[in-house]
Amino acid sequence: MSRSCSRSMTWEFPKQKDYHAHFDCFSGAAGDMMLAACIDAASGDENNLLPYVQHCLEEGLVELKGEFSLSIKRVWRSQTGSIAAKYLTVESRYHHTKAPVPRRDDETMGHHNHDERNNIGSEDEENSHGHAHDYSHSSSHSHDHSHGHSHHHSHSNNNSSNDHSHGHSHHGSNHRNGPLRNLPQIRTLLQNASVQYIPTWVKEKSIAAFTELAHAEALTHGAATCDDVHFHEVGAIDSIVDTVGTCLALYCLGVRTISCSRLPLGEGTVWTDHGLMPVPAPATLRLLKDMPTCPGPAGITGELVTPTAAALLKVLTKTTTTPIDGRPPCFTIREIGIGAGTKDFVKHPNILRLIIGDKLVKKEVV
């Protein structure tokens, strides 16, 4: 049974505020999986942490109030076994309705009407990895490891246009299905947030993650600057909730340093509004630059790491003093959280593990 947020708005912060978190992404990563794992790591207090996170998002980012709701439920993953995990749903008031794909400056006069091509592909929708892409998806933000990308990647290798509805949730200013937000707007939204609800650490990490996303999109589409990017996912409500919510939940758990395992690249191709592309898709690939990577689980095709997750992990691991080699550090484990993707694979569980601990032993760089 899923559990929606009640209106209990208090959270007891841990006295210790120097915990280390390690994300074990052996099956991939998506923003909603990361947030679900954080909530699960609350050690019996998840019923308080989830509503507290939603409350802070609504009161801190007042413009978002009424646009979304959060719920979480326990699910089981692995068709050959039974691994329990938490599955998070971000319900959008706008039903994650798709918006136009980004266009070049020379296309603004109408060389190509991208709105007419929305049925070509969904670079995010049904990532065979099953974490429904953190960007705009079906109305329940169901993360089929359809990881939240900048292009609703329908990660099956079927090239039928019916299977790949390109749901870019482009949130920009005048979209009839909801507000479209670009990087400057998201940055302002966070900068103006009260620190009572969105602490400075959370603001800084969130803005940095969105900036990484914007930079990757700008390079991919040839925009002059990050601010010139016509976002088709970063402005989506689910991406904002996943990004800021994950940073906020980590802060509430007393986490200040983060590391992650090697990130699986995935394999195969995906239909997008830009045509058939190999995975990882261009923006995701750019976000994985300088990050430890590895092949994905055997037999699984599709993109396994979403842009939201890649940007988050890139930013959160930047200040880690130990070398980023994909291995967990030497530390004492205190809490464990398990976040689930939507799809259920045969040979391995579609989950992400969060390991929180202290007494970190810093490695000497040889």
Side-chain angles (χ1 to χ4, degrees):
M1 176 181 292
S2 63
R3 184 179 294 109
S4 298
C5 290
S6 63
R7 290 297 170 182
S8 171
M9 303 311 174
T10 60
W11 175 254
E12 185 176 346
F13 285 83
K15 293 180 181 179
Q16 185 172 334
K17 295 180 174 61
D18 61 350
Y19 286 108
H20 181 86
H22 181 78
F23 285 96
D24 181 9
C25 312
F26 71 94
S27 186
D32 64 314
M33 296 177 75
M34 293 176 66
L35 180 51
C38 290
I39 300 302
D40 191 43
S43 186
D45 287 330
E46 64 268 23
N47 293 344
N48 293 323
L49 182 55
L50 183 62
Y52 181 75
V53 166
Q54 176 163 332
H55 172 68
C56 288
L57 290 174
E58 291 180 329
E59 297 301 322
L61 309 178
V62 291
E63 187 179 311
L64 304 186
K65 197 165 188 176
E67 287 191 31
F68 73 97
S69 63
L70 299 176
S71 63
I72 197 165
K73 64 180 178 180
R74 185 170 63 170
V75 297
W76 287 263
R77 292 292 178 260
S78 179
Q79 295 179 21
T80 59
S82 182
I83 302 298
K86 291 297 174 60
Y87 179 75
L88 181 83
T89 298
V90 179
E91 184 70 33
S92 169
R93 170 183 174 185
Y94 306 107
H95 305 293
H96 312 280
T97 307
K98 59 191 176 185
V101 298
R103 295 181 289 184
R104 302 191 305 268
D105 290 342
D106 60 2
E107 288 181 316
T108 57
M109 297 306 293
H111 286 87
H112 299 87
N113 186 341
H114 285 284
D115 290 346
E116 296 174 355
R117 305 193 314 174
N118 276 345
N119 290 328
I120 291 180
S122 146
E123 205 184 7
D124 287 29
E125 253 172 35
E126 289 198 53
N127 207 334
S128 74
H129 187 61
H131 310 153
H133 293 181
D134 330 0
Y135 287 44
S136 56
H137 329 2
S138 67
S139 63
S140 64
H141 190 83
S142 74
H143 298 119
D144 262 23
H145 232 225
S146 283
H147 309 250
H149 298 21
S150 15
H151 305 76
H152 289 245
H153 307 141
S154 174
H155 296 332
S156 60
N157 289 331
N158 183 339
N159 59 4
S160 165
S161 63
N162 291 333
D163 292 335
H164 310 286
S165 66
H166 189 241
H168 294 334
S169 188
H170 304 185
H171 296 273
S173 53
N174 295 314
H175 194 261
R176 62 188 178 85
N177 293 307
L180 305 177
R181 299 180 177 97
N182 58 22
L183 178 62
Q185 291 169 325
I186 293 172
R187 185 191 300 124
T188 299
L189 188 67
L190 284 159
Q191 289 173 337
N192 292 341
S194 168
V195 293
Q196 177 184 351
Y197 301 108
I198 309 294
T200 301
W201 187 89
V202 176
K203 290 186 183 186
E204 292 174 348
K205 299 303 180 185
S206 299
I207 291 173
F210 283 117
T211 302
E212 288 286 352
L213 280 164
H215 183 63
E217 286 289 346
L219 289 174
T220 296
H221 300 296
T225 70
C226 294
D227 290 352
D228 292 332
V229 171
H230 178 173
F231 280 128
H232 45 116
E233 338 54 30
V234 170
I237 185 65
D238 16 5
S239 180
I240 296 174
V241 170
D242 287 347
T243 299
V244 185
T246 296
C247 293
L248 182 58
L250 287 170
Y251 184 86
C252 290
L253 293 170
V255 170
R256 296 298 182 271
T257 59
I258 298 96
S259 59
C260 69
S261 66
R262 291 187 176 275
L263 302 176
L265 288 174
E267 57 185 83
T269 57
V270 59
W271 275 98
T272 76
D273 274 1
H274 308 290
L276 185 66
M277 301 292 293
V279 298
T284 307
L285 185 60
R286 291 183 185 279
L287 287 164
L288 292 174
K289 183 180 178 182
D290 297 325
M291 296 294 289
T293 62
C294 64
I300 301 300
T301 59
E303 195 158 33
L304 302 183
V305 177
T306 72
T308 295
L312 267 171
L313 291 169
K314 191 180 188 77
V315 167
L316 292 173
T317 59
K318 265 184 179 177
T319 56
T320 300
T321 55
T322 54
I324 301 177
D325 58 6
R327 302 173 65 191
C330 297
F331 68 159
T332 301
I333 297 173
R334 302 299 184 185
E335 302 292 350
I336 298 169
I338 310 293
T342 299
K343 290 191 175 178
D344 198 7
F345 299 133
V346 175
K347 295 184 178 180
H348 75 280
N350 184 17
I351 61 173
L352 174 149
R353 302 193 301 178
L354 171 61
I355 307 167
I356 297 176
D358 58 7
K359 298 184 179 178
L360 185 67
V361 177
K362 297 179 181 179
K363 296 179 182 178
E364 294 292 335
V365 179
V366 180

